[in-house]
Each structure stands twice: as C-alpha cells, then as structure tokens.
Amino acid sequence: MVARAGFVFVGLLHILIAWLALQVALGGGNNADQSSAVGQIASAPGGPVLLWAGVICCAALAVWMVIDAVAKWRREGKATKALGPGGTAIAYFGLTWLFVSFALGNQKNSSQQSQQTTANVLSIPFGPAVLFIAGLVVLGIGVYFGFRGVTRGFLNKDAQPTDSAPDWVKVVGSVGYTAKGVAVAVLGILILVAAVHHDPKQQSGLDGALKSLASQPFGGWILGVVALGLACYGVYSAARAKYGNFDQ
C-alpha cells in the first residue's frame, strides 16, 4: 500500500530533523525544521525523484487518514471520533504540500514563513487573541503527544502497531512521542509569547523552538536528548509502514 510508504517519508524527515537539531546542540548554525529536512532530501542524489515519491506517498497517507476519520464517524456516530485521524490528515496534507513546493523549486525557509504568518495574524482585528488561542492549541497538542508517549496511549490507534509488533517498536515509539511532545509544547509557548508581546520575531517555528531549548542552562544536553527522541520518533514512524494496523 502506497500509504504505508508515507510513514517511511515521515520517519525519514524526523530523523533528518533530529540530525540537524543535534548539530545545533553541538554549536552548529543549521536550521532544524521540516523545510530544512526536505532540503536535505532535495540535495541528495536522485533528489527530484525522492521528492515526487514523497508527494505521492504522503498524499496517499493523508487520504487514508481522511477515509479512516469518516469511517470512524459513521461507525461510532460521533464527530469527535474523527478528530484524531482528521487532524493527522491535515498534518500529512501539509507535509505533502511541502514536498510539492520543493519538487517545483519553490524552496522557502520555515522560520521566515512562521514569522510572516504570525505577523499577518497579529495585523488582523483581534489578531493577538487569535494567536494566543492558537498557541494554547499547539501547547495542548504538545502535552497530548507527551502524555501519549509516557502512557503508551498511542498504541492500537490510527494505523499504530498491532499487539504482535516487537517490543522495541513500542519503546522507541514511547520515547519518540514524548520528545515530539516536548518540541511541540515549546513551540506553543513561543506562539503565546509572540501573542503577548505582539512580536512575530518571537515565533520562528520548530527551528526556533529547538534553538530556544539550546539557549537554556544545559541547553545543549537538553536539545541533544530531544534530538535523540525525535530520531526515535522517526524510526517508529518508519516501523509503522511494516507493523501498522491499516485494517481498523
């Protein structure tokens, strides 16, 4: 199934982001975000082919998530049952568009885009309030990811590994979800700070969130641990291509 291959690309991106974040932790000046990771793929041998493969596979995965969301809604009779896979589908459609942009040569810096989007939101009526609410939502998503990682609540949901999957898959998944939760939660905090101070420069996307960790006391070590956790999430995502339950 093409959708399964989408998890391989998601895993690859997280591993590349982890590698970039580790370089930041060691004092490097790289950007550690999705656009930089896709840029790494674009510059590799056969990059254009890999980019279009990413478009197809991630789009197929997003469509599968939409189908899964609709099926759960109809089966359970509750719209809330579709929120999980529906939200994931939106994320994967966004990833698909990122691959399309790079495949067409429209390479943009995610940090600059995040700051521009923040500035646009702040300029509209009630913009700071809208941005503040968005920050709370992102912070909540980060906490949710972390909670699912610690409790292993991510298992057996939305193409997650079946009970027959090896234990190592569940372990790296738990570590990966927790690390991603930390990164997303920090991103949510930065959005809240940007809303309170009316300063779009406070919000520079995932790259800014990871670099803000590096700027804390013992930040290099903290970011290094988070980077290893993101690598675990990447390995786990790739493992879902083989062990994920697509029959739900």
Side-chain angles (χ1 to χ4, degrees), residues 17-18 28 31 34 39 65 72 82 89 102 124 148-149 158 176-177 191 205 209 222 224 226:
I17 292 172
N31 288 336
Q34 287 185 330
M65 285 292 178
K72 286 185 175 180
F102 272 78
I124 65 175
R148 291 182 74 183
D158 303 330
Y177 263 85
I191 296 174
I222 296 173
V226 172

PDB file of all heavy atoms in Angstrom, residues 17-18 28 31 34 39 65 72 82 89 102 124 148-149 158 176-177 191 205 209 222 224 226:
ATOM      1  N   ILE A  17      15.528  15.839  10.832  1.00  0.00           N
ATOM      2  CA  ILE A  17      15.359  16.950  11.771  1.00  0.00           C
ATOM      3  C   ILE A  17      16.170  16.690  13.034  1.00  0.00           C
ATOM      4  O   ILE A  17      16.814  17.599  13.583  1.00  0.00           O
ATOM      5  CB  ILE A  17      13.869  17.151  12.123  1.00  0.00           C
ATOM      6  CG1 ILE A  17      13.089  17.662  10.902  1.00  0.00           C
ATOM      7  CG2 ILE A  17      13.707  18.133  13.286  1.00  0.00           C
ATOM      8  CD1 ILE A  17      11.590  17.706  11.109  1.00  0.00           C
ATOM      9  N   ALA A  18      16.168  15.438  13.493  1.00  0.00           N
ATOM     10  CA  ALA A  18      16.949  15.079  14.674  1.00  0.00           C
ATOM     11  C   ALA A  18      18.433  15.309  14.433  1.00  0.00           C
ATOM     12  O   ALA A  18      19.153  15.820  15.312  1.00  0.00           O
ATOM     13  CB  ALA A  18      16.690  13.619  15.044  1.00  0.00           C
ATOM     14  N   GLY A  28      26.329  24.086  16.033  1.00  0.00           N
ATOM     15  CA  GLY A  28      26.200  24.398  14.621  1.00  0.00           C
ATOM     16  C   GLY A  28      25.132  25.449  14.379  1.00  0.00           C
ATOM     17  O   GLY A  28      24.317  25.754  15.252  1.00  0.00           O
ATOM     18  N   ASN A  31      19.438  25.206  10.457  1.00  0.00           N
ATOM     19  CA  ASN A  31      18.029  25.250  10.825  1.00  0.00           C
ATOM     20  C   ASN A  31      17.539  23.819  11.010  1.00  0.00           C
ATOM     21  O   ASN A  31      17.838  22.940  10.195  1.00  0.00           O
ATOM     22  CB  ASN A  31      17.191  25.939   9.748  1.00  0.00           C
ATOM     23  CG  ASN A  31      17.429  27.431   9.715  1.00  0.00           C
ATOM     24  OD1 ASN A  31      17.833  28.028  10.704  1.00  0.00           O
ATOM     25  ND2 ASN A  31      17.175  28.037   8.570  1.00  0.00           N
ATOM     26  N   GLN A  34      11.221  21.122   9.289  1.00  0.00           N
ATOM     27  CA  GLN A  34      10.815  20.247   8.191  1.00  0.00           C
ATOM     28  C   GLN A  34      11.340  20.721   6.852  1.00  0.00           C
ATOM     29  O   GLN A  34      11.753  19.901   6.021  1.00  0.00           O
ATOM     30  CB  GLN A  34       9.290  20.132   8.157  1.00  0.00           C
ATOM     31  CG  GLN A  34       8.716  19.281   9.280  1.00  0.00           C
ATOM     32  CD  GLN A  34       7.223  19.084   9.133  1.00  0.00           C
ATOM     33  OE1 GLN A  34       6.510  19.929   8.608  1.00  0.00           O
ATOM     34  NE2 GLN A  34       6.725  17.956   9.606  1.00  0.00           N
ATOM     35  N   GLY A  39      14.883  19.866   2.341  1.00  0.00           N
ATOM     36  CA  GLY A  39      16.002  20.382   1.552  1.00  0.00           C
ATOM     37  C   GLY A  39      17.152  19.398   1.490  1.00  0.00           C
ATOM     38  O   GLY A  39      17.827  19.282   0.458  1.00  0.00           O
ATOM     39  N   MET A  65      -6.025   8.623   5.964  1.00  0.00           N
ATOM     40  CA  MET A  65      -6.448   9.153   7.253  1.00  0.00           C
ATOM     41  C   MET A  65      -7.838   9.792   7.159  1.00  0.00           C
ATOM     42  O   MET A  65      -8.649   9.688   8.084  1.00  0.00           O
ATOM     43  CB  MET A  65      -5.430  10.175   7.762  1.00  0.00           C
ATOM     44  CG  MET A  65      -4.149   9.558   8.304  1.00  0.00           C
ATOM     45  SD  MET A  65      -4.444   8.642   9.829  1.00  0.00           S
ATOM     46  CE  MET A  65      -2.791   7.997  10.153  1.00  0.00           C
ATOM     47  N   LYS A  72     -14.750   6.132  11.032  1.00  0.00           N
ATOM     48  CA  LYS A  72     -14.961   6.133  12.488  1.00  0.00           C
ATOM     49  C   LYS A  72     -16.175   6.981  12.855  1.00  0.00           C
ATOM     50  O   LYS A  72     -16.936   6.632  13.765  1.00  0.00           O
ATOM     51  CB  LYS A  72     -13.712   6.660  13.186  1.00  0.00           C
ATOM     52  CG  LYS A  72     -12.561   5.653  13.181  1.00  0.00           C
ATOM     53  CD  LYS A  72     -11.378   6.156  13.984  1.00  0.00           C
ATOM     54  CE  LYS A  72     -10.301   5.075  14.049  1.00  0.00           C
ATOM     55  NZ  LYS A  72      -9.125   5.491  14.824  1.00  0.00           N
ATOM     56  N   ALA A  82     -13.639  11.345  14.867  1.00  0.00           N
ATOM     57  CA  ALA A  82     -12.894  11.645  13.642  1.00  0.00           C
ATOM     58  C   ALA A  82     -11.819  12.699  13.854  1.00  0.00           C
ATOM     59  O   ALA A  82     -11.029  12.969  12.950  1.00  0.00           O
ATOM     60  CB  ALA A  82     -13.854  12.111  12.549  1.00  0.00           C
ATOM     61  N   ALA A  89      -4.568  13.866   9.272  1.00  0.00           N
ATOM     62  CA  ALA A  89      -4.672  14.010   7.816  1.00  0.00           C
ATOM     63  C   ALA A  89      -4.272  15.415   7.383  1.00  0.00           C
ATOM     64  O   ALA A  89      -3.563  15.591   6.382  1.00  0.00           O
ATOM     65  CB  ALA A  89      -6.100  13.712   7.364  1.00  0.00           C
ATOM     66  N   PHE A 102       9.010  21.968  -2.803  1.00  0.00           N
ATOM     67  CA  PHE A 102      10.418  21.719  -3.102  1.00  0.00           C
ATOM     68  C   PHE A 102      10.586  21.054  -4.466  1.00  0.00           C
ATOM     69  O   PHE A 102      11.547  21.336  -5.188  1.00  0.00           O
ATOM     70  CB  PHE A 102      11.053  20.858  -2.005  1.00  0.00           C
ATOM     71  CG  PHE A 102      11.611  21.660  -0.868  1.00  0.00           C
ATOM     72  CD1 PHE A 102      10.778  22.184   0.094  1.00  0.00           C
ATOM     73  CD2 PHE A 102      12.973  21.902  -0.759  1.00  0.00           C
ATOM     74  CE1 PHE A 102      11.279  22.935   1.146  1.00  0.00           C
ATOM     75  CE2 PHE A 102      13.493  22.649   0.282  1.00  0.00           C
ATOM     76  CZ  PHE A 102      12.638  23.171   1.236  1.00  0.00           C
ATOM     77  N   ILE A 124      -4.501  41.452  11.941  1.00  0.00           N
ATOM     78  CA  ILE A 124      -5.947  41.429  11.748  1.00  0.00           C
ATOM     79  C   ILE A 124      -6.651  41.831  13.046  1.00  0.00           C
ATOM     80  O   ILE A 124      -6.042  41.825  14.122  1.00  0.00           O
ATOM     81  CB  ILE A 124      -6.429  40.033  11.304  1.00  0.00           C
ATOM     82  CG1 ILE A 124      -6.193  39.005  12.419  1.00  0.00           C
ATOM     83  CG2 ILE A 124      -5.733  39.606  10.027  1.00  0.00           C
ATOM     84  CD1 ILE A 124      -6.744  37.627  12.111  1.00  0.00           C
ATOM     85  N   ARG A 148       0.666  10.804  25.620  1.00  0.00           N
ATOM     86  CA  ARG A 148       0.525   9.545  24.901  1.00  0.00           C
ATOM     87  C   ARG A 148       1.828   8.757  24.888  1.00  0.00           C
ATOM     88  O   ARG A 148       1.826   7.529  24.917  1.00  0.00           O
ATOM     89  CB  ARG A 148       0.065   9.803  23.456  1.00  0.00           C
ATOM     90  CG  ARG A 148      -1.353  10.325  23.345  1.00  0.00           C
ATOM     91  CD  ARG A 148      -1.764  10.524  21.904  1.00  0.00           C
ATOM     92  NE  ARG A 148      -2.031   9.268  21.237  1.00  0.00           N
ATOM     93  CZ  ARG A 148      -2.358   9.170  19.948  1.00  0.00           C
ATOM     94  NH1 ARG A 148      -2.439  10.264  19.206  1.00  0.00           N
ATOM     95  NH2 ARG A 148      -2.594   7.997  19.397  1.00  0.00           N
ATOM     96  N   GLY A 149       2.955   9.490  24.857  1.00  0.00           N
ATOM     97  CA  GLY A 149       4.238   8.812  24.873  1.00  0.00           C
ATOM     98  C   GLY A 149       4.517   8.158  26.205  1.00  0.00           C
ATOM     99  O   GLY A 149       4.931   6.985  26.274  1.00  0.00           O
ATOM    100  N   ASP A 158      -5.275   4.439  14.889  1.00  0.00           N
ATOM    101  CA  ASP A 158      -4.923   5.106  13.636  1.00  0.00           C
ATOM    102  C   ASP A 158      -3.642   4.562  13.012  1.00  0.00           C
ATOM    103  O   ASP A 158      -2.624   5.247  12.926  1.00  0.00           O
ATOM    104  CB  ASP A 158      -4.765   6.613  13.857  1.00  0.00           C
ATOM    105  CG  ASP A 158      -6.022   7.232  14.435  1.00  0.00           C
ATOM    106  OD1 ASP A 158      -7.112   6.710  14.143  1.00  0.00           O
ATOM    107  OD2 ASP A 158      -5.905   8.224  15.164  1.00  0.00           O
ATOM    108  N   GLY A 176       9.825   8.521  21.354  1.00  0.00           N
ATOM    109  CA  GLY A 176       9.623   9.465  20.267  1.00  0.00           C
ATOM    110  C   GLY A 176       8.439  10.387  20.496  1.00  0.00           C
ATOM    111  O   GLY A 176       8.527  11.601  20.282  1.00  0.00           O
ATOM    112  N   TYR A 177       7.313   9.831  20.932  1.00  0.00           N
ATOM    113  CA  TYR A 177       6.140  10.654  21.193  1.00  0.00           C
ATOM    114  C   TYR A 177       6.421  11.666  22.306  1.00  0.00           C
ATOM    115  O   TYR A 177       5.996  12.822  22.236  1.00  0.00           O
ATOM    116  CB  TYR A 177       4.952   9.776  21.591  1.00  0.00           C
ATOM    117  CG  TYR A 177       4.031   9.459  20.433  1.00  0.00           C
ATOM    118  CD1 TYR A 177       4.301   8.394  19.581  1.00  0.00           C
ATOM    119  CD2 TYR A 177       2.897  10.219  20.181  1.00  0.00           C
ATOM    120  CE1 TYR A 177       3.462   8.098  18.519  1.00  0.00           C
ATOM    121  CE2 TYR A 177       2.044   9.931  19.124  1.00  0.00           C
ATOM    122  CZ  TYR A 177       2.334   8.868  18.291  1.00  0.00           C
ATOM    123  OH  TYR A 177       1.513   8.591  17.240  1.00  0.00           O
ATOM    124  N   ILE A 191       4.620  30.700  20.577  1.00  0.00           N
ATOM    125  CA  ILE A 191       3.478  31.373  19.950  1.00  0.00           C
ATOM    126  C   ILE A 191       2.761  32.240  20.980  1.00  0.00           C
ATOM    127  O   ILE A 191       2.362  33.377  20.689  1.00  0.00           O
ATOM    128  CB  ILE A 191       2.509  30.342  19.339  1.00  0.00           C
ATOM    129  CG1 ILE A 191       3.192  29.576  18.196  1.00  0.00           C
ATOM    130  CG2 ILE A 191       1.246  31.036  18.822  1.00  0.00           C
ATOM    131  CD1 ILE A 191       2.352  28.452  17.629  1.00  0.00           C
ATOM    132  N   GLY A 205       8.827  29.030  14.393  1.00  0.00           N
ATOM    133  CA  GLY A 205       8.558  27.649  14.053  1.00  0.00           C
ATOM    134  C   GLY A 205       9.329  26.635  14.881  1.00  0.00           C
ATOM    135  O   GLY A 205       9.857  26.939  15.963  1.00  0.00           O
ATOM    136  N   ALA A 209      11.818  26.753  18.247  1.00  0.00           N
ATOM    137  CA  ALA A 209      11.515  26.011  19.471  1.00  0.00           C
ATOM    138  C   ALA A 209      12.723  25.192  19.921  1.00  0.00           C
ATOM    139  O   ALA A 209      13.077  25.182  21.108  1.00  0.00           O
ATOM    140  CB  ALA A 209      10.312  25.100  19.236  1.00  0.00           C
ATOM    141  N   ILE A 222      20.096  19.186  26.801  1.00  0.00           N
ATOM    142  CA  ILE A 222      18.644  19.022  26.685  1.00  0.00           C
ATOM    143  C   ILE A 222      18.240  18.820  25.224  1.00  0.00           C
ATOM    144  O   ILE A 222      17.477  17.911  24.891  1.00  0.00           O
ATOM    145  CB  ILE A 222      17.910  20.241  27.271  1.00  0.00           C
ATOM    146  CG1 ILE A 222      18.181  20.348  28.775  1.00  0.00           C
ATOM    147  CG2 ILE A 222      16.406  20.153  26.997  1.00  0.00           C
ATOM    148  CD1 ILE A 222      17.625  21.613  29.396  1.00  0.00           C
ATOM    149  N   GLY A 224      20.132  17.826  22.820  1.00  0.00           N
ATOM    150  CA  GLY A 224      20.669  16.550  22.348  1.00  0.00           C
ATOM    151  C   GLY A 224      19.750  15.391  22.686  1.00  0.00           C
ATOM    152  O   GLY A 224      19.518  14.505  21.858  1.00  0.00           O
ATOM    153  N   VAL A 226      16.479  15.630  23.268  1.00  0.00           N
ATOM    154  CA  VAL A 226      15.274  15.779  22.448  1.00  0.00           C
ATOM    155  C   VAL A 226      15.538  15.323  21.016  1.00  0.00           C
ATOM    156  O   VAL A 226      14.688  14.676  20.387  1.00  0.00           O
ATOM    157  CB  VAL A 226      14.785  17.242  22.467  1.00  0.00           C
ATOM    158  CG1 VAL A 226      13.651  17.449  21.463  1.00  0.00           C
ATOM    159  CG2 VAL A 226      14.319  17.631  23.860  1.00  0.00           C
TER     160      VAL A 226
END
